[in-house]
Amino acid sequence: MIYLDYQATTPLAPEVAETMRPWIEDKFANPHSPSRWGREADAAIEVARKQVEQVIGHSGGSLAFTGSATEALNWAIKGTLEKAPAGRNRIVTVQTEHAAVLDTCEWLASRGVEVGYLPVRYDGLLDLAQVEASVDERTALVAVMLVNNEIGVIQPVSEMTEIAHRAGALMLTDAVQGLGRVPIPEGPDLVALSAHKIHGPKGIGALWMREGAEPAPLIHGGGQERGLRSGTLSPALCVGFGAAAKLASERRDADGDHVETLWKAAWDILGPDWILNGSADRRYRGNLNLRREALDAGRLMADFRDIAFSLGSACASGSGRPSHVLRALGLGEREARSSIRLGFGRYTEEAELVEALRRIDVAAKAQENLAA
Ligand code: PLP
């Protein structure tokens, strides 16, 4: 299989698997128990916490582990609204956010919270004047994704944070696709992360919180994570997240150079009939969201059982609906259905990317010839 779906998930790094192994096989103590073994597990979790904090690179806050980034985002949004001062009952977010943000906002809207959904331009980026106009003294939280999971574009999080703070609102960024790849701008009060997008294990995420901006807890119980997120932590998953974060820091330049080489190799193959969705400049280049006039992307995908790529967001696929992100760029339903998403990274070999793109290109042309 040629795996080109890095935005959906990334392969577990062998170094990460090795670090996790003893915590899966032998070291089963509860990290919250006071025994010697429990303390050893707890110490390993604290090392992992520091490793993830270091890759974020911000000071003045702390990190709590969660079961996923979806949980971290739910917590950040619901918990912030729960604690918001009277009169601040509004969230400002963006039409191109992940379902973990959009569906959470929709749920809150059904309970009386006002939600503003900012549009994006054709290149997928926000217009700061519109942000400025939408964020006001009634706003409790502004939520925006750093790197978009479908089209890879990098939103102006720093500028948005300034706007949010000027209005007295808190700023949340979903940095799931940015962690370890692009710098996470200083300033947001809340940062949501996931391990499995950086060659770590699935089933663990985190929320970084500026001191004083901790959301009200969603999950009550044994008081773990300073009473903010109850539930026994998994040492194996935490240690895996830490190892993946450390590796991402160490390999940031090498991984970045590799992605750049792959991006260039891809465009040597793709002709002018392939159109890039989203900005080419403000973009993480391990993402290629492409469309082609009259392409039936669903049929194309069915032709390739040995190449993994995506039609839209992995979470949305299966719904049969065209991607909400592509629709937000202003693409019609047909254009959205003519789009494919390819994601590549650390373990993608140039030769396999080239082979996959050649075959996809040939199949797309064959579809056109058949239709003509
Ligand atoms: N946010 C973004 C941008 C994502 O790409 C994803 C994963 O698809 C999530 C949030 C959810 O992450 P998790 O799988 O850890 O719940």
Side-chain angles (χ1 to χ4, degrees), residues 20 61 74 85 106 111 173 202 215 262 279 289 313 317 356 361 364:
M20 290 174 69
N74 267 264
E106 212 173 291
R111 278 155 178 75
T173 189
K202 290 169 187 60
L262 294 173
S279 167
N289 196 314
S313 123
S317 63
D361 188 52

Side-chain angles (χ1 to χ4, degrees), residues 162-181:
E162 276 174 33
I163 295 171
H165 286 171
R166 266 204 304 278
L170 294 182
M171 179 75 194
L172 160 67
T173 189
D174 170 352
V176 164
Q177 297 284 347
L179 185 68
R181 298 185 179 129

Side-chain angles (χ1 to χ4, degrees), residues 71-87:
E71 184 195 323
L73 289 162
N74 267 264
W75 175 23
I77 298 169
K78 293 174 185 165
T80 297
L81 264 288
E82 176 76 20
K83 269 181 69 174

Side-chain angles (χ1 to χ4, degrees), residues 159-237:
E159 292 85 341
M160 287 187 72
T161 305
E162 276 174 33
I163 295 171
H165 286 171
R166 266 204 304 278
L170 294 182
M171 179 75 194
L172 160 67
T173 189
D174 170 352
V176 164
Q177 297 284 347
L179 185 68
R181 298 185 179 129
V182 303
I184 300 179
E186 281 272 5
D189 306 283
L190 300 159
V191 182
L193 309 167
S194 182
H196 73 96
K197 311 287 182 172
I198 59 161
H199 306 285
K202 290 169 187 60
I204 182 161
L207 185 66
W208 183 89
M209 301 158 279
R210 184 169 303 291
E211 207 180 324
E214 296 86 353
L218 273 195
I219 300 179
H220 301 94
Q224 290 90 349
E225 297 297 75
R226 297 184 291 132
L228 289 168
R229 196 274 186 181
S230 286
T232 303
L233 287 173
S234 158
L237 294 179

Side-chain angles (χ1 to χ4, degrees), residues 7-8 67-71 73 98 100-101 145 147-150 174-177 193-197 203-205 313-315 341:
Q7 275 78 55
S68 62
T70 299
E71 184 195 323
L73 289 162
H98 191 274
V101 168
M145 210 189 281
V147 175
N148 188 276
N149 55 309
E150 290 198 36
D174 170 352
V176 164
Q177 297 284 347
L193 309 167
S194 182
H196 73 96
K197 311 287 182 172
I204 182 161
S313 123
C315 314
R341 181 188 71 179

